[in-house]
Amino acid sequence: MTEPPSRAALVAGPDAETHELIDRLVAVALRGLPRMQVDGEFVFTLRGVPDGAGGWRTEPAGRSLRYAAITALGVQRLGPYEQSAVLAGGDLTGLTGRLVARLDETSSLGDKALITWAAAATGHEMLPWALERLEHADTGGAVFTVDAAWVLSALAAARDAGADAEAHYERARRRLVDGAGQGGLYSHQVGGTGLVPGYRAHVGCFADQVYPIQALARAGDPEAVKLAGIAADRIVAAQGDGGQWWWHYDARTGGVVEGFPVYSVHQHAMAPMALLDLAEAGGPDHTAAIRRGLHWMVRPAETDEPMILDELGVTWRKTARADPRKVVRGARAATTGVREGWRVGVLDRVFPPTAVDRECRPYEFGWLLFTWREGS
């Protein structure tokens, strides 16, 4: 039987430049991830610092259980040799087992969901216990939208692995299905209110759209896929002329509240990941938008600075406005809360989006591998 084409081949089609770019990004991830581990744990970030010769070097900072779980999801798409290389000689079963053993160390529902998802994806023997701990933590009421989406994705993966978590799955699915705003997009919370200030209750970030699209696609039933398709159509319609996936949206209208920052991980991994999952579930085909987003990585409209540093094994995190107190985002959340679509245009001139955030985090490459590698 003929093997189906890879995701890279489907997205690139006859465009050799796109295919080469995807291969380049995967190679950067494979080079960078081994450098993101300290004493067997994944760091929170690699920060770029001047090397004294006009270039950059990186310094690790912090540790992150969440980023380790996302990395595990990406690494499970690799063959044994590449897994060992990325994990600096370690193995995926061991990494997943260490994550599951730390489930009770975190109070974050999202962290617990990601670890459970990794256990399901890798077929770990501790999956039933992870599912029990996840259900114990998911007590109902308002939750952050990203966490709710990760819970559903974890339970969908567990279902696919043959685990019995049907009642929890149905609750998680219904919470996300009912959580979309009138504009087809998601605000920052579902299942209730009170987690975010009232002036920005209508606002959802890009992650608040992408992870529900992915989770609903992975649920796979017609109602879920239809809702995911509506959200996908909204973010694609709003995509920037330079291929940018914008940052803040109005869940009531589907419009953009504030475009910046533009994150590299959204361009090379998260948007393709969700949109490809949706297409594979029978939803709309947005490969043209995926291609546009990918090419922002080599032709960002906001800067002449390279966003991909091949030898360093990083992609710089984002282009952003130079407003350290997030003045623009706060102002636009407040003004659109008063009147839909109200923008204070002078802010664009005072705070142009020319800053580059020179850091790179493990989850960015975890999602990149999860998106573009097909599995061992």
Side-chain angles (χ1 to χ4, degrees), residues 273-336:
M273 174 177 71
L275 296 177
L276 288 169
D277 278 358
L278 176 59
E280 290 164 5
D285 177 359
H286 289 302
T287 50
I290 293 171
R291 283 194 297 273
R292 289 194 297 270
L294 282 167
H295 284 282
W296 180 92
M297 293 297 303
V298 288
R299 291 188 288 273
E302 300 79 27
T303 180
D304 293 329
E305 182 171 343
M307 298 300 289
I308 307 172
L309 287 80
D310 300 80
E311 291 306 315
L312 206 57
V314 298
T315 55
W316 287 148
R317 181 164 167 75
K318 64 180 183 282
T319 59
R321 300 186 189 277
D323 59 338
R325 295 183 180 274
K326 302 179 181 178
V327 172
V328 178
R329 277 182 267 177
R332 288 191 167 151
T335 57
T336 54

Side-chain angles (χ1 to χ4, degrees), residues 58-71:
T58 58
E59 291 182 350
R63 303 287 189 275
S64 176
L65 193 65
R66 170 173 297 193
Y67 293 172
I70 295 173
T71 301

Side-chain angles (χ1 to χ4, degrees), residues 330-346:
R332 288 191 167 151
T335 57
T336 54
V338 174
R339 188 172 77 231
E340 293 177 6
W342 183 18
R343 298 173 64 84
V344 182
V346 69

Side-chain angles (χ1 to χ4, degrees), residues 94-186:
L95 171 61
T96 308
R98 291 192 299 275
L99 292 170
V100 173
R102 297 180 62 185
L103 268 169
D104 286 339
E105 293 181 20
T106 177
S107 60
S108 165
L109 179 63
D111 288 2
K112 291 179 187 291
L114 287 166
I115 292 170
T116 303
W117 188 357
T122 59
H124 199 277
E125 63 182 4
M126 292 298 291
L127 174 59
W129 186 79
L131 287 166
E132 176 188 316
R133 303 313 298 157
L134 179 62
E135 185 170 18
H136 184 264
D138 192 8
T139 56
V143 298
F144 291 114
T145 300
V146 167
D147 291 353
W150 284 340
V151 168
L152 181 57
S153 286
L155 294 170
R159 177 194 60 186
D160 293 344
D164 181 13
E166 192 62 26
H168 191 192
Y169 170 86
E170 289 298 336
R171 292 196 303 275
R173 178 194 168 281
R174 178 49 53 190
R175 176 171 59 195
L176 211 56
V177 164
D178 292 343
Q182 291 181 345
L185 296 181
Y186 286 84

